[in-house]
Amino acid sequence: MSVTGTAFVGVEGTDTRRGADATTVLTLYLVLLWLIPSSMVVPALGSAGSPANLLGIAAFFWWVWFHVRRTEVSGVGLQPVRAAMLGWLLIMLMVYANAMAGPIPSDEISVADNGILRLVGMAGILLTANDGISSTERLHALLRRLALAAGAVAVLGFVQYVTHQLWIDRLSIPGLTPGAVVELGARAGFARPSGTSASAIEYGVVLAMALPIMIALASGDHRRRWVFRLLLVPMVLSIYLSVSRSAYLCALVGLFVMALSWTNRQRLQALAIMGVASVAMYLAVPGLLGTILGLFSDADEDPSVSSRTGSYEIASEFVANSPVIGRGFGTFLPKYWILDNGYLGLLIEGGVVGLLGFLAVLTAGILAARRALATTDHDGRLLARAVMASIVAGASCLAFFDTFAFPQTSACVFLVLGIAGAMRRLQAAERTAPASGSTAESSPESSPEPSPQVSAESAPSSPAPPR
């Protein structure tokens, strides 16, 4: 199946033609997502008008067009990540319809529209990754590109810290609004790099989610692993320099999931590397480690923590108004309260059904990556574990950070969920391929007929036997 020369591979099989494919589209999505400041959008579309989200919306309709036109029956069974995503998207469309049908403040109408457009864009990327990645090689290529993009953003953040300049504020793209971030943030006297993200918190969380994938690629058997080992240095440094409690917790969760599959020697090596990095930061940036420790030891006195703990009482009042179906995705504005809790925010905006639907998507992604661990390929197992760690890290940060309010973090969560679904599908196809192949070889009737496109030069030269 082709779309203007672009091969879209569904669950029916693998397209080996040269040219652009779903992995190419997802690579372009990474470039738009991470290399263009997230605050630069098409003015008329607001927060839903970022170039990355517009590509995600196009990918969604591309996916729909493909499945509407396909005539073959899917041969790999149920795709849980895809089913969970479609189910949750349907729920959130019902939430949106319910919000628009009832009385709603005028300033919440446009944000509700933007919210559903952002959901469609993220769903498009998840579904394109789940159904479109054509082979394990293309999957690994996408993960390498993801790590390279994350490494580039990490280098940018390190440069921002060293020079105390934002740099991206000098970027101007015709048709997009100027970047909203005009200077580096600061905390306890330390400059906080933000890369191309909307804030240092989002920047740190995005890098923390990509950290397991970078580690897997840096420890793999491929010949370019030295590139990822080099990029691992600015990534770790930038996570430190973000001075973000959410980023540190997200990184620790991801490392913990990765460490479950490591040997004791590898765990000791990881602890030694973390110790060396901590000592280096202590010597190079005096006071930074003390500030980081204070984020946790003095958490009771931190206003942001008090805001989080005080959110439950306020949230219960909003949930009581519409506990089942919520008030509409994106309609809980900062004027009501800043929750810093993605799950609590989704409970308010999507109700119980919206929250449970999203938890089902996360669970399906984690289980899909876990199932992909059954592959016999060493690098494949490393990357499956890394993708699972990235999903778990992203899921954990939702409890400390309003993920859906920031475009890069929410998009990264759905991208790795789609990659996990693709891993499961490809691993299942590889497992069933030998069985189907042996059946075909043992059965004379199942032998394929000669291709009608064989050229004269390739035809056998011996004459046909007499009748």
Side-chain angles (χ1 to χ4, degrees):
M1 191 68 67
S2 62
V3 184
T4 62
T6 302
F8 187 95
V9 182
V11 296
E12 292 82 82
T14 301
D15 196 322
T16 58
R17 289 174 293 180
R18 296 286 183 180
D21 60 359
T23 301
T24 308
V25 173
L26 295 171
T27 301
L28 177 59
Y29 181 78
L30 284 172
V31 172
L32 297 177
L33 180 68
W34 277 354
L35 301 187
I36 294 180
S38 60
S39 58
M40 299 183 71
V41 298
V42 177
L45 297 177
S47 60
S50 67
N53 193 67
L54 294 178
L55 179 60
I57 294 173
F60 177 79
F61 288 105
W62 183 32
W63 179 87
V64 171
W65 180 87
F66 169 78
H67 281 283
V68 167
R69 292 190 69 241
R70 69 181 177 91
T71 57
E72 303 87 352
V73 178
S74 173
V76 295
L78 177 67
Q79 295 295 304
V81 177
R82 178 178 65 186
M85 181 68 243
L86 291 175
W88 186 58
L89 183 59
L90 179 61
I91 289 172
M92 298 311 291
L93 287 172
M94 294 170 58
V95 169
Y96 172 77
N98 178 71
M100 293 297 104
I104 181 173
S106 58
D107 59 345
E108 295 181 10
I109 295 176
S110 61
V111 293
D113 294 338
N114 289 340
I116 203 66
L117 288 175
R118 287 190 291 116
L119 282 180
V120 170
M122 291 184 290
I125 291 303
L126 183 150
L127 295 170
T128 299
N130 187 91
D131 288 0
I133 299 175
S134 59
S135 66
T136 302
E137 290 75 17
R138 297 298 285 163
L139 175 72
H140 291 183
L142 177 63
L143 288 171
R144 289 193 295 270
R145 295 167 186 175
L146 187 154
L148 290 173
V153 173
V155 171
L156 172 62
F158 185 71
V159 172
Q160 288 176 338
Y161 177 82
V162 172
T163 62
H164 289 267
Q165 296 187 51
L166 194 62
W167 295 105
I168 61 172
D169 57 336
R170 309 175 189 186
L171 181 64
S172 177
I173 300 178
L176 301 181
T177 58
V181 182
V182 295
E183 62 181 5
L184 290 179
R187 189 171 199 170
F190 295 101
R192 304 175 70 188
S194 56
T196 58
S197 303
S199 71
I201 301 176
E202 181 185 27
Y203 174 68
V205 169
V206 166
L207 292 182
M209 286 185 60
L211 180 61
I213 297 173
M214 185 73 80
I215 292 174
L217 290 169
S219 56
D221 294 332
H222 54 93
R223 57 188 175 88
R224 293 193 182 97
R225 60 182 179 270
W226 62 270
V227 176
F228 302 101
R229 290 177 179 176
L230 289 177
L231 291 176
L232 192 57
V233 175
M235 176 173 283
V236 172
L237 293 178
S238 294
I239 293 174
Y240 267 107
L241 296 172
S242 68
V243 196
S244 167
R245 187 186 297 106
S246 299
Y248 300 150
L249 292 172
C250 185
L252 288 175
V253 170
L255 289 174
F256 175 77
V257 175
M258 292 290 289
L260 292 177
S261 63
W262 291 344
T263 63
N264 290 332
R265 180 181 178 182
Q266 289 174 319
R267 292 168 186 155
L268 290 174
Q269 289 176 341
L271 290 174
I273 293 173
M274 290 178 63
V276 170
S278 299
V279 171
M281 295 302 296
Y282 175 78
L283 296 175
V285 190
L288 179 61
L289 285 185
T291 300
I292 294 174
L293 293 175
L295 292 176
F296 299 93
S297 61
D298 301 332
D300 295 339
E301 303 174 5
D302 193 327
S304 64
V305 176
S306 302
S307 175
R308 289 181 175 93
T309 56
S311 299
Y312 297 101
E313 183 178 352
I314 295 174
S316 62
E317 299 176 4
F318 283 89
V319 172
N321 294 330
S322 183
V324 178
I325 203 167
R327 58 183 282 115
F329 184 72
T331 60
F332 190 78
L333 303 178
K335 69 178 183 180
Y336 300 123
W337 195 262
I338 298 177
L339 295 174
D340 281 330
N341 187 322
Y343 294 113
L344 198 57
L346 187 56
L347 179 61
I348 295 173
E349 297 175 348
V352 174
V353 292
L355 177 59
L356 292 178
F358 179 65
L359 291 176
V361 178
L362 288 176
T363 303
I366 293 171
L367 294 178
R370 184 176 182 272
R371 183 168 178 177
L373 290 171
T375 181
T376 58
D377 178 61
H378 176 259
D379 286 355
R381 286 196 304 272
L382 284 176
L383 290 172
R385 173 70 65 176
V387 169
M388 183 170 67
S390 181
I391 296 173
V392 175
S396 66
C397 80
L398 261 84
F400 313 103
F401 172 68
D402 190 5
T403 300
F404 290 108
F406 295 90
Q408 288 186 349
T409 48
S410 54
C412 288
V413 169
F414 284 88
L415 176 60
V416 293
L417 284 168
I419 290 174
M423 281 183 164
R424 181 190 184 278
R425 171 174 59 82
L426 293 171
Q427 196 272 335
E430 290 175 358
R431 188 175 63 251
T432 57
S436 60
S438 60
T439 303
E441 291 173 3
S442 61
S443 175
E445 289 81 2
S446 63
S447 301
E449 295 182 359
S451 171
Q453 298 179 354
V454 175
S455 63
E457 290 81 7
S458 63
S461 58
S462 58
R467 296 180 180 274

